Amino acid sequence: MGSKNKLKRFAENETFSNVIQPTRDEILKGFEFKGKWNSFFKNENPIVLELGCGKGEYTVGLAKLNPNRNYIGIDIKGARFWRGAKTSIEENMNNVAFVRTQIELVDQLFEKDEVSEIWITFPDPQIKYKRTKHRMTNEVFLKKYQKILKPNGIMHLKTDSEFMHGYTLGLLHGLNYEVIYANHDVYKNEGSPQEVLKIQTFYENQYLEKGKPITYIQFRITN
């Protein structure tokens, strides 16, 4: 993407009512919507997150399937989620928002028990050992998610990475967390939820064209 396009998208994001772009300091000193997200959406509907939302396909797709839930996509790359933000505004979707920030700050954006579900879609698997701390399903991140999820809150991991799938399953079993459902090839093996099969991201389509299996895990971070 050219720098002119990026700048245009950044500028347009500034005008979108469904895009929030706080500074790191603003988040750490007390984010304005922490514990008050239902006032942002003007309803008491459940809140669902997509972390590392990219172009926002899952955030928007889930919001269309479930209009009685509020969806928030979080990503540091605003030029990417511009597409999802623009689409949801054009289609008058009032249950979609995007936040531009680092995923590591997620527990500063939401109050305890404020979130009902979290989706992680096609994250960078960070395969090298020294990158373990950046894996979005490592133990440190799981503790952050647990902090903001409701007691029976559900996590979803959809990935093309067999490494990420196996690493996460092993970690969940080791920590004695509840694995509700796991599938190492969702389009070949039956049983995956419709939300997993109906929505396909830009990157997912590329992986499918290469014949890569798409994996999925649904779990709870409770003992």
Side-chain angles (χ1 to χ4, degrees), residues 20-33 105 108-109:
I20 305 164
Q21 303 186 87
T23 65
R24 190 179 182 89
D25 277 350
E26 285 171 342
I27 293 173
L28 294 176
K29 288 178 180 177
F31 182 58
E32 62 177 316
F33 293 114
L105 298 176
Q108 302 298 318
L109 299 175

Side-chain angles (χ1 to χ4, degrees), residues 67-112:
N68 293 322
R69 293 182 169 220
N70 299 321
Y71 289 87
I72 303 171
I74 302 175
D75 205 301
I76 193 60
K77 296 185 177 178
R80 282 190 186 168
F81 69 59
W82 163 88
R83 179 65 269 169
K86 189 175 180 69
T87 296
S88 53
I89 284 178
E90 288 173 343
E91 298 186 14
N92 296 312
M93 299 174 67
N94 298 317
N95 62 331
V96 178
F98 291 90
V99 181
R100 182 174 182 262
T101 193
Q102 294 95 344
I103 304 301
E104 68 193 62
L105 298 176
V106 67
D107 57 334
Q108 302 298 318
L109 299 175
F110 302 91
E111 195 55 81
K112 186 177 183 295

Side-chain angles (χ1 to χ4, degrees), residues 13-223:
N13 277 346
E14 295 282 350
T15 71
F16 291 159
S17 59
N18 61 356
V19 171
I20 305 164
Q21 303 186 87
T23 65
R24 190 179 182 89
D25 277 350
E26 285 171 342
I27 293 173
L28 294 176
K29 288 178 180 177
F31 182 58
E32 62 177 316
F33 293 114
K34 183 178 181 180
K36 302 173 184 174
W37 277 100
N38 285 330
S39 69
F40 175 87
F41 287 107
K42 298 181 174 58
N43 61 54
E44 297 295 320
N45 293 339
I47 292 170
V48 182
L49 312 182
E50 183 192 5
L51 305 181
C53 65
K55 296 174 182 288
E57 296 109 319
Y58 244 91
T59 301
V60 174
L62 288 169
K64 287 179 180 178
L65 290 175
N66 305 291
N68 293 322
R69 293 182 169 220
N70 299 321
Y71 289 87
I72 303 171
I74 302 175
D75 205 301
I76 193 60
K77 296 185 177 178
R80 282 190 186 168
F81 69 59
W82 163 88
R83 179 65 269 169
K86 189 175 180 69
T87 296
S88 53
I89 284 178
E90 288 173 343
E91 298 186 14
N92 296 312
M93 299 174 67
N94 298 317
N95 62 331
V96 178
F98 291 90
V99 181
R100 182 174 182 262
T101 193
Q102 294 95 344
I103 304 301
E104 68 193 62
L105 298 176
V106 67
D107 57 334
Q108 302 298 318
L109 299 175
F110 302 91
E111 195 55 81
K112 186 177 183 295
D113 301 343
E114 193 173 12
V115 175
S116 293
E117 291 184 38
I118 296 176
W119 284 80
I120 301 173
T121 53
F122 302 96
D124 186 331
Q126 308 287 0
I127 292 175
K128 291 184 179 178
Y129 178 76
K130 64 181 180 180
R131 301 291 296 174
T132 302
K133 65 181 180 180
H134 297 291
R135 285 179 205 148
M136 288 175 61
T137 57
N138 70 29
E139 191 170 356
V140 173
F141 275 110
L142 291 179
K143 292 293 183 186
K144 288 178 183 283
Y145 309 150
Q146 186 178 36
K147 187 175 169 184
I148 63 175
L149 276 167
K150 293 183 182 298
N152 286 316
I154 293 175
M155 294 283 309
H156 308 263
L157 172 67
K158 187 179 182 184
T159 175
D160 67 301
S161 169
E162 292 179 28
F163 168 82
M164 189 71 166
H165 181 78
Y167 164 81
T168 303
L169 269 181
L171 188 61
L172 295 173
H173 288 308
L175 294 171
N176 219 18
Y177 291 150
E178 180 188 359
V179 176
I180 302 168
Y181 178 81
N183 190 331
H184 68 273
D185 193 339
V186 298
Y187 297 107
K188 184 176 180 181
N189 304 320
E190 295 182 1
S192 289
Q194 283 302 301
E195 290 174 330
V196 175
L197 303 174
K198 277 189 174 181
I199 305 168
Q200 293 181 355
T201 71
F202 171 79
Y203 295 109
E204 180 174 358
N205 283 316
Q206 289 187 330
Y207 303 141
L208 289 170
E209 284 176 9
K210 295 175 183 176
K212 295 187 77 174
I214 305 300
T215 72
Y216 170 71
I217 310 171
Q218 183 180 126
F219 58 99
R220 286 193 182 96
I221 316 174
T222 51
N223 295 112

